[in-house]
Amino acid sequence: MATNKKPLKDWIAFFALLAIILGGALYYVYFLTPKNSLELYQELAFADSFEDVQKHLLEGYEGNFSEEDFNYIQNNSADWIGQFTIFDYDGKSYVVMTSPGTERLKILAVEELPEDMRAFFSGLSE
C-alpha cells in the first residue's frame, strides 16, 4: 500500500511561503499606509511624485485630487493639521475632531453641522 504523504520538507516550505505572503501584506498595511491625518500629510508632503500618491486614491475618486493640489501641498507647509470624522444621521450631522498622530484617537470636540455645511459634505461623496 502506497500512501501519498508529502514529506515534512514540503510542508515546511509551504508554511514558510504562506508566512512570507501574510507577513508582507501585514507589513504593507501597518507600515506603508497612512493611518491618520498626520501620516497622510507626511505621505503627501514627502512623496517623490504625483504618481506615487495616486496609489493611495480609492478607485473612482481619482478626479478629487489633482496634480495642482499635490504641487501646492509639496511647495507649502501646513499651518495646522486636523483630523475630523462626520457622522450623518437622518436629519443631523455631527463633526468629531480627533487628535491626529496619536496611537489611539482622542476626541477633542463634537459639533452639530449647520445645514449648509451638511449639504457641502454630503455633496463631496457623490
Side-chain angles (χ1 to χ4, degrees):
M1 288 208 301
T3 60
N4 282 339
K5 288 189 174 185
K6 290 195 175 230
L8 181 61
K9 194 173 14 171
D10 290 345
W11 284 109
I12 291 173
F14 171 74
F15 284 117
L17 181 63
L18 185 63
I20 290 170
I21 292 170
L22 290 175
L26 288 173
Y27 180 82
Y28 176 79
V29 168
Y30 285 106
F31 296 108
L32 298 180
T33 56
K35 289 161 207 51
N36 59 51
S37 296
L38 185 59
E39 288 183 16
L40 179 60
Y41 171 74
Q42 291 170 339
E43 183 79 24
L44 295 173
F46 301 115
D48 292 328
S49 69
F50 179 64
E51 290 74 27
D52 289 344
V53 174
Q54 285 182 311
K55 65 184 175 191
H56 294 293
L57 295 174
L58 187 61
E59 189 174 322
Y61 291 87
E62 295 87 357
N64 293 342
F65 185 63
S66 69
E67 191 163 0
E68 291 79 29
D69 297 330
F70 171 74
N71 289 332
Y72 186 85
I73 291 169
Q74 288 266 304
N75 296 326
N76 298 281
S77 60
D79 295 328
W80 179 76
I81 298 171
Q83 182 164 298
F84 300 90
T85 302
I86 297 175
F87 297 123
D88 191 36
Y89 298 95
D90 190 29
K92 292 182 177 187
S93 293
Y94 289 92
V95 62
V96 179
M97 182 176 160
T98 56
S99 55
T102 56
E103 189 172 317
R104 293 260 187 214
L105 292 180
K106 301 288 184 184
I107 295 173
L108 303 177
V110 177
E111 292 288 331
E112 183 179 346
L113 285 176
E115 189 56 40
D116 58 336
M117 292 188 73
R118 180 175 192 248
F120 172 77
F121 284 113
S122 294
L124 282 178
S125 62
E126 295 175 357

